[in-house]
Amino acid sequence: MERYPFAYEPSQPFISQVSDWVADVFYEILPEAGFEVRDEQIYMAFQLERAFAEKQTIFAEAGVGTGKTLAYLLYAVCYARYTRKPAIIACANESLIEQLVKPEGDIAKLARHLNLTIDARLGKSPDQYVCLKKLDEARYQLDEGEAYQEIYVGLPSFVHTHEALQSFYPYGDRSTYPDLDDEQWAKMNWDSFQDCFSCEKQHRCGQTLSRNHYRQSADLIICSHDFYMEHVWTYETRKRGGQLPLLPPHSSVIFDEGHLLEPAAQKALTYKLNHTVFEEIITRLLKGEIRESLAVAIEEAIAQSEELFARLDEESKAVVGSNRKEIQFHPELLQAIHRFTSLVDWIEEELALESGLYTLDEFQLRIVGEHLEMMQLALRLFQDPGHVISWMTEEVTGPTLIVMPRMVQEILRERVFSQSMPIIFSSATLSVEGGFDFVADSLGIEKYLSFSVPSPYEYAEQMKAFVPRLSSDDLFHEKMSSTVKRLNETEGKALLLFSSMEEMKQFKQAISSYSECSHLPFLFEGDQEISHLISCFQNDEKTSLCAVSLWEGLDVPGPSLSNVIIWSLPFPPNDPVFTAKRKGAASAFEEVDLPYMLLRLRQGIGRLIRTREDSGIVTIFSPELHQGEKLRNHVKAIFPDGVEWNEEPVDTLM
């Protein structure tokens, strides 16, 4: 196989030769295969040339239908082969990863029409894989143990043996179990509290085997934003511990749906503390011969940990539209934190003495020591609310404290954007009202290139918009009446986007009582694996899909998606993360809430028209849009040119 898809001349600049070949691809090769010439796509390609030539960060905003994925893939593959290091394509979530590599996806199209062999491998996040330890525990549950036993029996035979593996055999990722809902999956998947290094099954683990596989990719490694940021955050720690980083050295990074990188960075930089995990790890020391003083310290710390996390749970209140619970600080809680911190200090001192006696397993001692060090760092940060954001959440292992640095910009600037390599942010929505500062500032990017090209579609003919006037008497009933009307107009074929799980659950409970929709099937995010739900939605035209996380990236061309219903304007929730952002802004609404909402709303509207042949309707429910001209003008401005609003009142169904 030739290294490059063009005749390379070493005496000439490489990227300019790539650019000449890209021109041939878009002007000659792809049109001969039936692709249309798109000026917007070609313009984007030549803007990317500069980013690769100068190894700069670029915001590449390109409207729906531009073909931006094909444009960045051509440069990424060639540059990977030139540097002999793969390119990383980081997608916003796991369902977008699946869409990129599906048989009819853009990578397959390029490979087929350009006669290229593209080595593209998936680097899925750890929580997308079965944890053999958790599965082993789940199969002994009283209620669902039998189902998990069937999964356990269905694992590859080599999982249960010690024979040498002859070849890579992928298994155990989330898409393998489409019928499990999210709660069922959480009982058997990897989570951040799992101690993989002491697991005797780590060399048979699907996650480990997949990691060894994708690291060998020559062209592309496709992962999620979360996974890339986890790689950045753990890079130094893994090297110090003698482990390989999560991702190998790479030539470039493309952040697809790049406007969503900030929450992924925040998630990666969090510390998680949990009583159940602390007790499980610390009691390992009791299995060896230890001094009485250490045993006493451990027992007291376990008791204090249980009391602390119970108190944290009690002193936290739920936040509407978020799974993050806000912590109510008061002197008694701070005293409980201080007592627990002192006990952990005591254990660390005792461990220093114990290590010199060589009575404890050195490996276990190191695992416990690292966990205690992480806990102390997180607890000390936690006691300084001015520099961190913290909240409680409920996980399978019980109430969990999350501690996150308030500002991620400094870390990103140092560890990501200071590198001398091309970094591409690709999305249809990177700018807010013409500028890129909102996204750039949130990520700590000081120097960047940017451009914006519109969609080539005729939205005035393809899209209708409805923003019905809602009274304030019974908003939910009015929304349901209008939704039922729209669903019957299009015979289903709808994507319903909600701002929170609470909104979606309320709709799910109510829709079954409307006989007018009894003939229309509905799918709900969380009931099954997400890419499986998307496939079912795409293949059954009458089905409607209800989702909270599919505002971005969902690509369902054709009549299966002819109707987008936006249940409410997607303002950020009042959870601790956004509360902290608001406190740091001169004008919280103008600097935080409005830009976030407008970006997300643009994405939601963009799910409707995916090809020149598509057509359909968008409905937005928002009484606020009829109460203030300023907000209405902001929202109107994000609609494509020529799309007019219909503000008809709602006909309430009886």
Side-chain angles (χ1 to χ4, degrees), residues 318-532:
V319 176
V320 176
S322 173
N323 61 357
R324 298 163 175 162
K325 295 196 287 185
E326 186 178 0
I327 301 170
Q328 306 295 301
F329 286 92
H330 56 76
E332 292 81 4
L333 177 59
L334 293 174
Q335 289 171 10
I337 296 168
H338 182 70
R339 285 195 299 272
F340 181 62
T341 304
S342 299
L343 285 170
V344 176
D345 280 335
W346 182 16
I347 293 174
E348 288 185 313
E349 291 171 5
E350 292 289 338
L351 285 180
L353 294 172
E354 200 76 41
S355 62
L357 301 176
Y358 301 103
T359 56
L360 291 174
D361 179 79
E362 185 178 346
F363 180 75
Q364 292 294 343
L365 196 62
R366 181 168 66 85
I367 294 294
V368 174
E370 287 181 357
H371 188 77
L372 294 180
E373 183 181 348
M374 180 275 293
M375 289 190 70
Q376 288 291 62
L377 177 59
L379 287 169
R380 289 193 175 97
L381 288 171
F382 179 53
Q383 295 177 71
D384 185 8
H387 291 87
V388 297
I389 304 168
S390 56
W391 64 90
M392 292 295 292
T393 186
E394 191 65 35
E395 304 209 359
V396 175
T397 47
T400 301
L401 171 65
I402 313 291
V403 181
M404 182 185 80
R406 185 173 288 272
M407 306 296 279
V408 300
Q409 292 96 326
E410 214 170 290
I411 297 169
L412 291 173
R413 189 181 299 120
E414 175 189 343
R415 301 191 186 184
V416 180
F417 302 113
S418 64
Q419 299 182 66
S420 179
M421 71 174 175
I423 298 177
I424 316 300
F425 284 84
S426 173
S427 174
T429 57
L430 285 168
S431 65
V432 176
E433 301 186 328
F436 295 89
D437 287 349
F438 176 71
V439 174
D441 292 346
S442 70
L443 296 170
I445 301 173
E446 297 173 338
K447 181 184 178 183
Y448 60 86
L449 305 172
S450 66
F451 69 89
S452 182
V453 293
S455 169
Y457 297 151
E458 300 293 336
Y459 282 96
E461 285 76 37
Q462 294 177 261
M463 177 187 290
K464 292 182 180 179
F466 294 91
V467 188
R469 290 184 174 274
L470 304 172
S471 71
S472 57
D473 298 333
D474 190 350
L475 287 177
F476 181 76
H477 189 205
E478 287 184 278
K479 287 182 180 182
M480 290 299 301
S481 295
S482 184
T483 297
V484 168
K485 177 182 177 182
R486 297 288 172 229
L487 289 171
N488 277 289
E489 283 178 3
T490 57
E491 282 291 295
K493 307 176 184 177
L495 172 68
L496 289 89
L497 292 171
F498 299 88
S499 296
S500 69
M501 291 299 292
E502 289 91 343
E503 282 186 349
M504 189 180 75
K505 288 176 181 177
Q506 188 182 21
F507 174 84
K508 182 179 183 180
Q509 186 175 8
I511 192 63
S512 59
S513 64
Y514 284 81
S515 59
E516 298 90 342
C517 289
S518 60
H519 64 296
L520 300 175
F522 290 86
L523 299 170
F524 294 88
E525 180 179 350
D527 285 355
Q528 293 178 303
E529 191 270 330
I530 190 68
S531 60
H532 176 70

Side-chain angles (χ1 to χ4, degrees), residues 27-183:
Y27 280 120
E28 298 177 14
I29 300 174
L30 290 183
E32 287 180 6
F35 289 72
E36 65 177 292
V37 176
R38 298 176 183 174
D39 292 338
E40 298 86 357
Q41 185 181 48
I42 294 166
Y43 178 82
M44 175 179 177
F46 290 115
Q47 294 298 311
L48 292 180
E49 176 186 5
R50 183 180 171 193
F52 276 88
E54 300 177 10
K55 301 179 183 178
Q56 289 206 52
T57 295
I58 187 169
F59 290 117
E61 182 177 65
V64 177
T66 304
K68 50 187 175 291
T69 307
L70 292 180
Y72 70 61
L73 281 174
L74 295 174
Y75 280 96
V77 170
C78 291
Y79 196 64
R81 296 182 179 185
Y82 178 68
T83 59
R84 298 188 184 274
K85 291 186 291 186
I88 304 295
I89 300 178
C91 301
N93 53 49
E94 304 295 335
S95 63
L96 290 176
I97 292 175
E98 297 284 351
Q99 288 194 61
L100 197 57
V101 299
K102 61 186 179 182
E104 66 276 19
D106 287 330
I107 293 176
K109 287 178 185 176
L110 277 186
R112 183 168 63 252
H113 295 299
L114 302 182
N115 195 27
L116 273 176
T117 300
I118 299 176
D119 186 3
R121 308 190 189 190
L122 298 187
K124 289 193 173 184
S125 297
D127 62 4
Q128 294 295 304
Y129 288 94
V130 169
C131 170
L132 296 176
K133 179 181 175 182
K134 283 177 68 176
L135 176 59
D136 201 30
E137 295 169 353
R139 65 196 182 105
Y140 293 110
Q141 292 179 359
L142 292 176
D143 51 349
E144 296 179 300
E146 187 175 336
Y148 291 111
Q149 176 64 21
E150 289 182 13
I151 293 173
Y152 181 83
V153 171
L155 294 174
S157 59
F158 65 74
V159 174
H160 311 294
T161 68
H162 298 285
E163 300 170 4
L165 295 178
Q166 300 301 314
S167 61
F168 171 69
Y169 188 100
Y171 81 94
D173 73 81
R174 178 68 173 100
S175 60
T176 310
Y177 308 99
D179 294 329
L180 294 182
D181 64 31
D182 288 352
E183 288 187 12

